[in-house]
């Protein structure tokens, strides 16, 4: 009987595109995909419940290898009639007088400016089993949440609004696995996440931040310089009639700059 390959993921992460590719390439290998709590997202690797885990940092990185996937912007979630509804984005200082419905250590930028922490008036959090309960408290006007955008979208309601918080750090989503358990199946999934094709050769996986950047070879620079000289020389010659030929086109990928953020009026 085939051994199941288990993939864990934290709330807000959508592994569907990768699991579909796995199913196409490895129809003989059954998948188990399940969601974890933030407190459990790396524990599932250590106790063997999952071979890989899509995590949101920070996690205990001891004995783990990680590949950074993408970052998420933080947003503040408040009741629909809250002043943030009239803003495009806010600063964390704008939220200093709010009641945060989560551990202040989860948002250190807010913790540093929070009025209720400075004057000792912070009240205990209401009983909340999960984020659905927390969103219900937000909708009732009890307080606010500051969470990654995907979390706000996942638990969105018609009676709450969310806006980007400009000066709170983005959250990092990464693929994690036990370094000592870098099996062929794990390598296969890493390749899928990295976008390698089925026939691409595998490369050694390394922890995030240690991957070497490919440097341009000197010979490549020399060839480019020589080509530029030839092009310039050709342009300086008088035009003469010649048989038309087609030259391969060149394209240049220029990423669009990120749109600037502005604070709206209250």
């Amino acid at each position: 009987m085939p051994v199941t390959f288990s993939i864990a993921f934290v709330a807000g992460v959508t592994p569907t595109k990768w699991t579909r590719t796995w199913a196409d390439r490895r129809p003989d290998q059954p998948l188990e995909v399940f969601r974890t709590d933030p407190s459990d997202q790396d524990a599932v690797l250590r106790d063997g419940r999952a071979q890989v885990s899509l995590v949101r940092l920070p996690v205990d990185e001891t004995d783990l290898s990680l590949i950074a996937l993408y970052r998420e912007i933080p947003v503040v979630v408040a009741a629909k009639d809250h002043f943030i509804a009239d803003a495009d984005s806010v600063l964390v200082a704008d939220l200093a007088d709010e009641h945060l419905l989560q551990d202040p250590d989860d948002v250190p930028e807010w913790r540093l400016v929070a009025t209720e922490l400075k004057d000792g008036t912070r009240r205990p959090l209401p009983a909340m089993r999960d984020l659905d309960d927390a969103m219900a408290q937000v909708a009732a006007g009890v307080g606010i949440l500051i969470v990654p955008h995907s979390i706000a979208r996942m638990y969105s309601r018609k009676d709450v609004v969310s806006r980007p918080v400009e000066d709170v750090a983005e959250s990092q989503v990464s693929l994690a696995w036990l370094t000592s358990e870098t099996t062929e199946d794990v390598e296969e999934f890493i390749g899928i996440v990295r976008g390698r094709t089925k026939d691409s050769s595998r490369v050694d996986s390394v922890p995030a931040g240690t991957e070497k950047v490919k440097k341009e070879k000197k010979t490549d620079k020399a060839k480019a310089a020589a080509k530029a000289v030839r092009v310039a020389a050709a342009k300086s010659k008088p035009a003469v009639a010649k048989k038309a030929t087609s030259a391969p086109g060149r394209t240049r990928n220029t990423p669009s700059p990120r749109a600037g953020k502005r604070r709206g009026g209250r």
Side-chain angles (χ1 to χ4, degrees):
M1 185 173 180
V3 178
T4 300
F5 186 72
S6 297
I7 303 168
F9 65 97
V10 73
V13 176
T14 306
T16 308
K17 62 180 180 180
W18 299 314
T19 57
R20 284 177 179 170
T21 301
W22 178 279
D24 290 339
R25 294 187 189 179
R26 300 289 301 276
D28 60 319
Q29 180 81 59
L31 276 182
E32 177 188 14
V33 184
F34 62 96
R35 197 171 80 187
T36 63
D37 293 327
S39 60
D40 211 27
Q41 56 184 342
D42 57 296
V44 295
L45 297 171
R46 295 187 171 89
D47 62 21
R49 281 178 287 164
Q51 281 71 60
V52 296
S53 183
L54 295 160
V55 303
R56 184 175 286 111
L57 301 186
V59 297
D60 179 3
E61 299 184 18
T62 306
D63 301 326
L64 297 184
S65 292
L66 295 104
I67 295 174
L69 300 179
Y70 59 88
R71 292 182 176 274
E72 291 185 286
I73 62 170
V75 299
V76 55
V77 187
K80 191 174 182 178
D81 59 353
H82 195 276
F83 76 80
I84 70 165
D86 297 324
D88 295 325
S89 63
V90 299
L91 298 174
V92 72
D94 298 328
L95 308 172
D97 294 333
E98 303 294 330
H99 179 50
L100 189 71
L101 294 172
Q102 59 201 107
D103 187 339
D105 289 341
D106 292 344
V107 193
E109 296 90 346
W110 180 86
R111 183 187 60 204
L112 291 174
V113 301
T115 301
E116 65 179 17
L117 294 180
K118 290 180 179 179
D119 61 17
T121 59
R122 180 170 170 81
R123 58 189 184 275
L125 294 178
M128 297 177 291
R129 295 168 299 177
D130 50 31
L131 277 167
D132 281 322
D133 284 353
M135 286 295 181
Q137 294 289 332
V138 169
V142 176
I144 63 168
L145 291 171
I146 299 177
V147 295
H149 179 255
S150 66
I151 296 294
R153 185 175 64 247
M154 182 177 180
Y155 291 91
S156 64
R157 300 166 46 125
K158 293 182 179 180
D159 47 5
V160 302
V161 293
S162 63
R163 295 292 184 268
V165 187
E166 296 182 18
D167 47 354
V168 168
E170 295 180 338
S171 61
Q172 174 69 57
V173 173
S174 298
L175 174 67
W177 70 97
L178 281 176
T179 303
S180 61
E181 297 295 330
T182 309
T183 64
E184 289 189 6
D185 287 341
V186 169
E187 287 279 14
E188 182 75 23
F189 190 74
I190 292 168
I192 289 172
V193 169
R194 283 177 160 168
R196 292 203 296 266
T197 62
K198 183 177 181 180
D199 297 326
S200 297
S201 59
R202 294 175 179 174
V203 296
D204 292 335
S205 302
V206 295
T210 63
E211 296 172 309
K212 294 182 179 180
V213 177
K214 185 178 180 180
K215 296 182 178 180
E216 184 180 7
K217 295 181 180 179
K218 291 183 178 180
T219 53
D220 293 337
K221 292 183 178 179
K223 289 178 181 178
K227 183 176 181 180
V229 171
R230 291 196 301 271
V231 171
K235 288 182 178 180
S236 65
K237 291 181 180 180
V240 294
K242 60 180 181 179
K243 185 178 179 180
T245 58
S246 59
R250 294 181 60 192
T251 60
R252 179 178 298 173
N253 295 324
T254 306
S256 300
R258 292 180 59 187
K261 300 177 182 177
R262 292 186 178 179
R263 294 175 54 205
R266 297 190 179 186

